[in-house]
Amino acid sequence: GIDSPDRILSLTAISVPHPQPFQDTRLDPDSCQFAASMYFNFFVQPNSHDILLANDAAQLRLLYDGLPSHHIDDYLSVLSQGDTLKFALHWYRANVGESATTVVFPPVDVPTLYVWSDADTALCEDGARLTANYVTGPYRFEIFENVSHWVPELAPERLSRLLLNHLKDHPER
């Protein structure tokens, strides 16, 4: 949990839904998210970072398909340094498995902006739509049509406008 929730004024989530509906849909074979999250099985393997970085990061480059090459180069320059990618993949390792699936996530009580894109192949609509059930504060859900998973890179102006308006509308708790 958060030690000082009073320090959180608002939340903006991009692509990823609230953890509870994400967890629930990821574990539901009838949900699109179940299949969309199958890459987790590879990411949690102990040597997945080595495979992703092999051959000039050929497999890792595929994950960024659809992004302009300068964005891919930026990501690869960071993720190929030392154990950076290995440690980034620890997020998946910490969020997959029996111990991770027994966690119950509380609702969000601060003003929340959630941006999801309908061409995202990693995060499905059902978890995105269910997020509204897990926000008790003011909530705004925005769908970016025809945008893939890489919202900040592919729709930066629209995202920035929404974020700035959200911060302006909710400066205090």
Side-chain angles (χ1 to χ4, degrees):
I2 296 174
D3 292 334
S4 302
D6 55 309
R7 297 179 69 186
I8 308 294
L9 299 179
S10 68
L11 171 68
T12 298
I14 303 167
S15 299
V16 181
H18 182 280
Q20 193 65 54
F22 180 67
Q23 174 178 275
D24 294 346
T25 57
R26 186 176 65 80
L27 298 174
D28 179 358
D30 294 328
S31 169
C32 159
Q33 194 61 58
F34 184 82
S37 295
M38 284 297 159
Y39 69 94
F40 280 29
N41 296 333
F42 168 68
F43 279 9
V44 301
Q45 297 304 311
N47 65 338
S48 59
H49 60 284
D50 292 328
I51 295 168
L52 289 167
L53 292 173
N55 301 321
D56 193 32
Q59 294 299 311
L60 186 56
R61 289 176 191 281
L62 290 175
L63 296 176
Y64 294 109
D65 186 43
L67 280 180
S69 61
H70 68 279
H71 287 301
I72 297 171
D73 292 342
D74 289 344
Y75 281 116
L76 293 180
S77 72
V78 172
L79 292 172
S80 62
Q81 293 179 22
D83 286 332
T84 303
L85 180 58
K86 178 180 178 180
F87 294 137
L89 292 173
H90 282 332
W91 181 92
Y92 293 91
R93 294 177 183 120
N95 287 286
V96 174
E98 190 174 324
S99 64
T101 59
T102 59
V103 175
V104 175
F105 298 94
V108 176
D109 67 351
V110 296
T112 300
L113 168 64
Y114 177 30
V115 176
W116 175 76
S117 50
D118 68 357
D120 192 330
T121 59
L123 296 156
C124 297
E125 185 173 356
D126 50 356
R129 296 246 181 235
L130 289 169
T131 291
N133 299 335
Y134 296 89
V135 180
T136 58
Y139 180 64
R140 181 172 179 182
F141 178 50
E142 288 287 330
I143 299 174
F144 284 27
E145 294 182 356
N146 303 311
V147 176
S148 74
H149 182 70
W150 312 108
V151 174
E153 294 85 353
L154 299 175
E157 294 85 12
R158 182 173 176 203
L159 179 60
S160 294
R161 277 192 310 274
L162 281 171
L163 179 56
L164 290 172
N165 285 334
H166 177 70
L167 294 171
K168 180 178 66 81
D169 291 347
H170 304 286
E172 298 177 11
R173 204 162 145 101

